[in-house]
Amino acid sequence: MMSVKELFDDYHLSWLDNSGDESDIVLSSRIRLARNFRQIPFPNRADFSQLAEVREMATSVLGEVETAAGEAFDQVSLEQLTDPEKKVLIEKHLISQNLIRNPQYRSVFVSQSRHCSIMVNEEDHLRIQCMVSGFNLETPYAMASKLDDVIESKLDIAFDEKMGYLTSCPTNLGTGLRASVMLHLPGLVFTRNIGGIINVSPQLGLAVRGLYGEGTDVIGNIFQISNQLTLGFTETGLIENLTSAVREIIAHERRARKALQLYTKERLEDEVWRAFGILKYARFLSDTEVLALASKVRLGIDMQLIDEAAPECFNELLVASQTNYLQNMAGNENLSNNEVDRKRAEIVRCILSGKSAREE
Amino acid sequence: MMSVKELFDDYHLSWLDNSGDESDIVLSSRIRLARNFRQIPFPNRADFSQLAEVREMATSVLGEVETAAGEAFDQVSLEQLTDPEKKVLIEKHLISQNLIRNPQYRSVFVSQSRHCSIMVNEEDHLRIQCMVSGFNLETPYAMASKLDDVIESKLDIAFDEKMGYLTSCPTNLGTGLRASVMLHLPGLVFTRNIGGIINVSPQLGLAVRGLYGEGTDVIGNIFQISNQLTLGFTETGLIENLTSAVREIIAHERRARKALQLYTKERLEDEVWRAFGILKYARFLSDTEVLALASKVRLGIDMQLIDEAAPECFNELLVASQTNYLQNMAGNENLSNNEVDRKRAEIVRCILSGKSAREE
């Protein structure tokens, strides 16, 4: 496990590093493919020997997957992780809540660049996901397809001529594809226009979720938007649909920011600087407060109202301010809320001052 | 008027410069003597020629007063001041509200060190006041007495063998003396023990008031405590009574701060640093917000929880954050609240960073 310590300790994520197109609004773009092996029950109905078989099959093709990806993957068996470690991987969006519910025979293969991860025995046998920073669904789709192609060339994947890829949950049937983008929409929130976006999304076949996906609260004005349907469309059709919807949302967000600039610039400037002052000096910070304040500071940076912080601080705080990350770094999963809030305030000061937490 | 521009522009006050005894709690000590000339009606019943006569008499002894004080006095005629200038003198505690109500034939003589001021034709013909930084009523009493002695040696002051000094308002009859101290009591406020002090004061013959005297709100956890009675006691008796009450209050405040240190140090530290962060970065600040935040920061400095600001910043902000001071500095008495709040935030940043506002 020594080689993957950085997987839990580093709050920098290459797919969330403020690079790429429209990265002042689109934090990251992600493609996920659901795949299952033919003749083996879906994980929720498979017994341990069948789950073990799935993991062996997945592991058997990892060499080819690495060659296709052009980089090595860390193999992480969920059974071997501590509780905070598992949760850090969720906080880093590398695995899902679902994967840790029953850790036995569950694994995740994470590429060393952290752009790709393959979950084994999640809801489906394989969940291939690729992520990049900024607004760009083509690259992660090409990456995920390449990994999928090499897996399908070696192993027998459940595919029906009429239905497409078979999946555990009917919402994934067909392409097994979920495309999603993580958006920072403070302009729409502060101008109270976000409701329109959320209400119209289902009609466009899109789902809007909070920072950690389905059923999670919106914090830090961060929204995840993804396609709801997977059946009856081609992969590129789904991606194009999401892409054009996101382009619209970006335009709305830019208009909202322009309106803020025109009508409430001074008050916004005050709020942004106050948020910065609190983040910089507070001794205790909750997770929701950090992201609410950091969202304002990030908006202030994007609108050139403030220059004392780097824009990528916001992206780093998305990982570094999370409770399990902090508990894991402290080596103590029983840290009190108070202690976590204090550690959080410490790392926030570190990140805002541009120092690496590990150098401290 | 050129020579007294500094009277309005400078937010440093020698009697409020954080020097002297117990200056972490007692901001300043003040003695005021009320005196009237025999045979001339009190100012509120005097006609213009009588008021003019009073001012002439007062002016005629100014040379002797200066010799006694060992320093020159600026003669400021209220008629010649702009509205903001008059109000700045109130904000600096050099004159009273009462003096500016009818400015005709009203004057104030202010010593160049600003430790002494003599109001002419306020409620009484003469109001001699002397102020020093910290807890020390003896020095200003000695100063005021010296000025009074030289005036009484030259002019005929209304004094009755039985009643003592005659004054316009019966509450000043007798000694004509009011002794007062300005206290910073955040410990008693935050531990909710201030009520006890306020409730017991009248029984001790003391009045508790806000930053600007009678009928003003408490802001910045600053309280003025003074003797209520002037008749039936000697001057030294009144001063001793106030001194011993203030010693008690200081002890209570120190106990309250110790309790905060023991029981809520961490949370207090967080509050203190947040207050500092907001003061340092906010773009708009109201007067009450500045003093509430500055009070926390000052407490933090006194309790050694924070070291990024100098203690005297608090004293300076008491003058520099006042609305009329800011309007006068801007040369515009019609500045909107918004503009004043912005100027206030600017000067707060200046003072916290240790720069002189006039150097900017």
Side-chain angles (χ1 to χ4, degrees), chain B residues 59-100:
Chain B
T59 310
S60 72
V61 294
L62 192 57
E64 281 90 348
V65 166
E66 288 177 324
T67 307
E71 59 175 326
F73 278 62
D74 289 310
Q75 286 186 58
V76 181
S77 303
L78 272 282
E79 302 96 322
Q80 295 172 16
L81 300 185
T82 64
D83 233 47
E85 283 175 337
K86 284 176 218 159
K87 289 175 182 164
V88 169
L89 295 184
I90 296 174
E91 289 174 350
K92 289 183 153 194
H93 299 263
L94 292 170
I95 65 171
S96 63
Q97 277 287 354
N98 205 4
L99 193 71
I100 74 167

Side-chain angles (χ1 to χ4, degrees), chain B residues 149-298:
Chain B
D149 287 348
V150 73
I151 292 167
E152 293 203 39
S153 74
K154 296 282 163 185
L155 299 168
D156 195 10
I157 296 296
F159 182 83
D160 177 271
E161 279 306 320
K162 212 172 148 195
M163 304 289 280
Y165 290 100
L166 302 182
T167 55
S168 170
C169 177
T171 58
N172 290 313
L173 205 62
T175 57
L177 177 141
R178 177 138 296 147
S180 69
V181 290
M182 198 192 290
L183 300 165
H184 183 224
L185 304 174
L188 288 169
V189 173
F190 296 153
T191 57
R192 299 175 196 280
N193 284 310
I194 192 71
I197 305 293
I198 292 174
N199 293 337
V200 85
S201 293
Q203 299 163 34
L204 301 173
L206 302 174
V208 181
R209 298 176 172 125
L211 180 55
Y212 288 102
E214 217 163 332
T216 62
D217 287 340
V218 171
I219 56 174
N221 303 314
I222 293 167
F223 298 81
Q224 292 199 74
I225 302 199
S226 60
N227 60 308
Q228 255 179 328
L229 304 170
T230 57
L231 188 65
F233 299 91
T234 61
E235 282 84 349
T236 49
L238 291 170
I239 290 171
E240 277 166 19
N241 181 39
L242 180 62
T243 299
S244 68
V246 170
R247 279 200 202 295
E248 278 294 311
I249 296 171
I250 292 171
H252 281 297
E253 172 67 17
R254 294 214 186 285
R255 274 194 292 276
R257 292 183 185 189
K258 207 158 276 175
L260 289 172
Q261 184 88 25
L262 276 173
Y263 301 115
T264 61
K265 186 184 166 195
E266 292 194 335
R267 286 287 151 185
L268 185 67
E269 203 174 351
D270 183 52
E271 275 198 61
V272 162
W273 279 107
R274 283 169 182 251
F276 178 73
I278 293 171
L279 282 178
K280 188 163 166 185
Y281 289 108
R283 261 46 189 171
F284 294 92
L285 284 164
S286 75
D287 51 355
T288 43
E289 188 182 14
V290 164
L291 293 189
L293 295 170
S295 170
K296 284 186 188 173
V297 172
R298 175 65 201 247

Side-chain angles (χ1 to χ4, degrees), chain A residues 266-267 269-270 273-274 276-278 280-286 289 293 308 338-339 341-342, chain B residues 266-267 269-270 273-274 276-278 280-286 289 293 308 338-339 341-342:
Chain A
E266 293 193 333
R267 286 287 152 186
E269 203 173 351
D270 182 52
W273 279 108
R274 282 169 183 252
F276 178 73
I278 294 170
K280 189 163 165 185
Y281 290 107
R283 260 48 188 171
F284 293 93
L285 284 164
S286 75
E289 188 182 14
L293 294 171
E308 288 200 25
N338 210 36
E339 279 303 306
D341 286 354
R342 182 220 297 283
Chain B
E266 292 194 335
R267 286 287 151 185
E269 203 174 351
D270 183 52
W273 279 107
R274 283 169 182 251
F276 178 73
I278 293 171
K280 188 163 166 185
Y281 289 108
R283 261 46 189 171
F284 294 92
L285 284 164
S286 75
E289 188 182 14
L293 295 170
E308 288 200 25
N338 211 36
E339 278 303 306
D341 285 355
R342 181 220 297 283

